[in-house]
């Protein structure tokens, strides 16, 4: 798993990997065309921009490969299946079926979104820029980079069951903040907060390496954070 | 409790032992015993709950549940729930863990850790090594109720496996066969995190588990990784149907959850 070019343009990537919610205006005029535009574009597993072993010893190659090729792939497969069902339900005007699909869409769509964001905010090259946009925002909200790390660590460890810890941008307060979501709930869709950095706290994300010792996993993950991506997301969110 | 009373008497006895001639050491022994007595006067809450011993060795459920998982699951995960429920219940009246379930939703720590303790104690008790398990079977009463509720045992297992599938139980949770509140039929329900159907508010009414399966990833990940369906279908090989039948008889008669050790 190396040497594959990653599409960095978020808009382009979104249209390839995620079913876009924006449709060309001429299509919205024709409802038949609308429905046919919804189907056909399927979610696909994004390549990692680093090898499976690149994040060792923080996260093992074994976990990276399973996590990427099995867990993330399963969310994508199930998302595509749910979206196909959604297309027919909408085509038939079956409101009840549309509503019944919401759980599967949130779970599998959320799983796809979350993991796509996750791979991108990890990197073997973890360099933090002092004095940059991100640094200033973290100091404004948390006092220091360490203060931020401490708070996101605590929030992530406090999650009961499965979920994610997030550094987010709050468009209302115009400040960064910490959030956590249960299961695969996508943070922006469920709270309006914009995701900047995610930590997967599902047991599959760490169990083979750390067993029940979650604190060691969260401590180690700080060694492999892609701070450039986090900063780019913050700049885009503002 | 009994151990503490015994040590109180031993303490008193040693204070008056002829071997303890030095009066200072006798005074010491007496004051220690009195201190122990004072401690006994208040409820022993710091160790109210404990992890019950497994009724079989760690490796007994192989190859269906692996030894390292049994060790970590019992000695670490279950132990953490016990430590945390003890902390949460410090200074409070000591009651069996079953009694904390009905109102568990009132307090986060009780819901998570009390639930965690009850669920795991329940789980260990309903399993047996494969060669023992295969000689067990549902009682006549249970078999009859399974047939009337699901059509057949195979149909029940099939529905149970569907409820335990990764899409069905989002995230961490448990799958249960329960007796409904009216006591008229068995149902299959899933609960998230460490909730269980005995907790008021988790389901539309309190229901009584007779069988439960942990589908948190820690329950199977070391051996099965993402292959949860394989874990679930293998699990039937270690279910002790005699114990499940006892559970059924108990909940049918008492309209209460099954008590657990610890």
């Amino acid at each position: 798993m190396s040497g594959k070019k990653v599409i960095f343009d978020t808009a382009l990537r979104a249209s390839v990997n995620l079913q876009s919610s924006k449709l060309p205006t001429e299509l919205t005029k024709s409802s038949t065309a609308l429905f046919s535009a919804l189907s056909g574009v399927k979610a696909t597993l994004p390549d990692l921009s680093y090898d499976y072993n690149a994040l060792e010893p923080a996260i093992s190659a074994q976990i990276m490969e399973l996590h990427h090729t099995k867990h993330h792939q399963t969310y994508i497969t199930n998302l595509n299946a749910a979206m196909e069902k959604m297309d027919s339900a909408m085509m038939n005007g079956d409101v009840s079926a549309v509503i019944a699909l919401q759980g599967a869409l949130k779970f599998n769509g959320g799983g796809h979104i979350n993991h796509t964001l996750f791979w991108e905010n990890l990197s073997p090259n973890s360099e933090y820029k002092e004095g940059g946009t991100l640094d200033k925002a973290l100091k404004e909200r948390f006092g220091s980079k360490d203060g931020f790390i401490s708070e996101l660590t605590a929030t992530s460890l406090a999650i009961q069951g499965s979920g994610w810890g997030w550094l987010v941008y709050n468009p209302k307060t115009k400040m960064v903040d910490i959030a956590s979501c249960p299961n695969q709930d996508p943070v922006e869709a469920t709270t309006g907060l914009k995701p900047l950095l995610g930590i997967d706290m599902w047991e599959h994300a760490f169990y083979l390496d750390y067993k029940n010792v979650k604190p060691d996993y969260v401590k180690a993950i700080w060694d492999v954070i892609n701070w450039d991506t986090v900063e780019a997301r913050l700049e885009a969110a503002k | 409790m009994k151990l503490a009373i015994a040590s109180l008497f031993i303490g008193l006895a040693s204070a008056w032992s002829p071997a303890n001639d030095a009066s200072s050491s006798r005074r010491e022994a007496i004051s220690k015993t009195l201190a122990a007595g004072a401690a006994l006067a208040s409820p022993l809450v710091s160790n109210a709950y404990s992890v019950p011993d497994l009724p079989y060795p760690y490796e007994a459920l192989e190859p269906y549940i692996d030894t390292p998982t049994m060790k970590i699951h019992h000695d670490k995960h279950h132990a953490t729930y016990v430590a945390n429920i003890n902390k949460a219940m410090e200074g409070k009246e000591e009651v069996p863990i079953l009694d904390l379930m009905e109102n568990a939703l009132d307090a986060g720590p009780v819901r998570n850790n009390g639930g965690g303790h009850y669920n795991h104690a329940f789980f260990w008790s309903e399993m047996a090594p494969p060669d023992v398990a295969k000689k067990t079977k549902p009682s006549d009463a249970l078999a009859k109720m399974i047939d009337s509720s699901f059509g057949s045992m195979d149909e029940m297992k099939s529905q149970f496996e569907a409820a335990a599938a990764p899409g069905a139980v989002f995230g961490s949770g448990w799958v249960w066969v329960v007796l409904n509140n009216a006591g008229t039929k068995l149902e299959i329900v899933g609960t998230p995190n460490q909730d269980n159907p005995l907790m008021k508010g988790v389901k539309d009414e309190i229901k009584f588990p007779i069988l439960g399966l942990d589908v948190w990833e820690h329950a199977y990940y070391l051996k099965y990784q993402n292959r949860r369906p394989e874990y679930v279908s293998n699990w039937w090989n270690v279910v002790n149907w005699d114990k499940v039948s006892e559970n059924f008889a108990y909940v049918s008669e008492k309209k209460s959850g099954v008590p657990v050790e610890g």
Side-chain angles (χ1 to χ4, degrees):
Chain A
M1 255 282 36
S2 65
K4 298 231 176 180
K5 187 163 184 270
V6 173
I7 306 168
F8 283 104
D9 182 304
T10 35
L12 181 57
R13 189 189 317 111
S15 66
V16 169
N17 289 338
L18 295 170
Q19 190 123 332
S20 177
S21 57
K22 298 198 181 75
L23 294 163
T25 40
E26 58 273 24
L27 282 183
T28 57
K29 291 174 188 157
S30 156
S31 57
T32 330
L34 179 78
F35 292 132
S36 63
L38 285 171
S39 51
V41 178
K42 293 199 183 302
T44 57
L45 185 68
D47 290 335
L48 302 186
S49 62
Y50 40 80
D51 290 347
Y52 287 129
N53 64 7
L55 306 183
E56 292 191 342
I59 305 175
S60 66
Q62 186 190 20
I63 284 188
M64 288 303 289
E65 190 167 356
L66 273 166
H67 203 173
H68 184 242
T69 63
K70 306 285 184 203
H71 291 276
H72 189 175
Q73 180 61 64
T74 300
Y75 290 120
I76 288 169
T77 305
N78 293 342
L79 172 63
N80 287 333
M83 298 234 270
E84 249 185 73
K85 291 198 187 125
M86 178 63 95
D87 287 354
S88 348
M90 284 177 72
M91 201 104 72
N92 297 325
D94 188 345
V95 178
S96 175
V98 168
I99 293 169
L101 284 164
Q102 298 309 302
L105 283 173
K106 182 158 98 166
F107 184 62
N108 295 297
H112 179 35
I113 291 170
N114 293 338
H115 286 87
T116 300
L117 291 170
F118 187 53
W119 309 133
E120 291 167 1
N121 64 229
L122 298 174
S123 170
N125 311 309
S126 175
E127 268 172 56
Y128 183 85
K129 230 166 48 197
E130 295 283 346
T133 318
L134 176 63
D135 188 42
K136 291 203 184 104
L138 292 179
K139 286 181 166 132
E140 181 192 21
R141 172 66 183 77
F142 303 103
S144 64
K145 178 193 177 203
D146 284 347
F148 152 63
I149 286 178
S150 192
E151 225 182 288
L152 181 50
T153 296
T155 295
S156 301
L157 290 175
I159 293 170
Q160 296 292 324
S162 306
W164 289 72
W166 294 97
L167 173 69
V168 293
Y169 176 74
N170 187 333
K172 291 200 184 119
T173 62
K174 302 211 188 301
M175 283 178 71
V176 295
D177 208 344
I178 304 275
S180 71
C181 290
N183 299 329
Q184 292 297 353
D185 288 8
V187 63
E188 183 162 7
T190 58
T191 69
L193 301 167
K194 296 187 181 285
L196 304 181
L197 164 62
I199 300 183
D200 189 351
M201 294 307 298
W202 281 64
E203 287 174 326
H204 65 239
F206 61 85
Y207 208 78
L208 295 178
D209 292 349
Y210 296 97
K211 316 295 190 301
N212 62 304
V213 192
K214 288 194 291 192
D216 285 356
Y217 160 65
V218 181
K219 185 156 183 278
I221 210 171
W222 293 111
D223 292 341
V224 290
I225 298 298
N226 187 337
W227 296 107
D228 289 343
T229 294
V230 179
E231 183 156 76
R233 287 175 183 165
L234 174 59
E235 278 159 358
K238 281 176 131 179
Chain B
M1 192 65 141
K2 283 185 188 149
L3 195 60
I5 295 169
S7 60
L8 180 65
F9 285 124
I10 291 166
L12 286 166
S14 65
W16 271 268
S17 136
N20 257 345
D21 268 349
S23 57
S24 61
S25 73
R26 187 179 299 142
R27 263 203 299 277
E28 215 180 60
I30 292 170
S31 66
K32 271 190 191 155
T33 312
L34 286 173
L40 265 182
S42 61
L44 294 170
V45 290
S46 58
N47 293 301
Y49 303 107
S50 58
V51 185
D53 289 336
L54 292 175
Y56 34 73
Y58 293 114
E59 64 271 16
L61 306 185
E62 290 265 10
Y64 306 108
I65 303 183
D66 56 302
T67 310
T69 293
M70 288 303 289
K71 280 207 169 111
I72 299 169
H73 203 176
H74 177 264
D75 296 354
K76 308 282 182 197
H77 289 276
H78 189 173
T80 300
Y81 289 121
V82 168
N84 289 341
I85 188 62
N86 280 335
K87 223 184 314 184
M89 295 302 291
E90 233 174 278
K92 303 212 174 101
E93 193 200 336
E94 197 182 317
V95 296
I97 190 68
L98 172 63
D99 292 5
L100 290 185
M101 293 301 98
E102 187 172 343
N103 297 307
L105 260 50
D106 290 349
V110 177
R111 178 180 190 170
N112 295 320
N113 299 296
H117 176 32
Y118 180 86
N119 296 342
H120 287 85
F122 182 92
F123 187 50
W124 311 132
S125 75
E126 64 184 352
M127 294 191 288
D131 53 343
V132 171
K134 75 165 170 246
K135 296 193 197 111
T136 66
K137 63 181 171 69
S139 61
D140 289 343
L142 177 56
K144 204 161 145 214
M145 187 58 111
I146 288 174
D147 287 351
S148 70
S149 306
F150 301 104
S152 67
M153 171 65 101
D154 280 348
E155 187 47 44
M156 183 186 87
K157 285 184 177 178
S158 181
Q159 279 185 39
F160 190 92
E161 291 182 26
V169 180
F170 294 167
S172 312
W174 290 72
V175 182
W176 311 91
V177 176
V178 294
L179 182 66
N180 67 346
N181 201 272
T184 53
K185 62 182 166 96
L186 295 175
E187 296 168 357
I188 290 167
V189 299
T191 53
N193 297 340
Q194 294 299 347
D195 286 357
N196 64 49
L198 294 171
M199 298 175 178
K200 196 163 41 174
V202 163
K203 295 291 165 193
D204 54 338
E205 51 175 28
I206 290 178
K207 298 173 197 280
F208 310 108
I210 65 167
L211 176 73
L213 176 60
D214 190 348
V215 289
W216 280 62
E217 287 174 328
H218 67 237
Y220 61 87
Y221 209 82
L222 294 180
K223 180 181 168 73
Y224 294 97
Q225 290 90 55
N226 62 305
R227 305 183 313 278
R228 191 197 291 176
E230 199 185 314
Y231 159 66
V232 178
S233 61
N234 275 351
W235 181 65
W236 300 114
N237 291 297
V238 294
V239 170
N240 181 344
W241 290 103
D242 292 346
K243 178 65 166 79
V244 178
S245 302
E246 271 174 47
N247 291 345
F248 174 66
Y250 188 92
V251 306
S252 302
E253 194 200 329
K254 309 276 191 200
K255 291 305 225 49
S256 138
V258 169
V260 296
E261 260 190 73

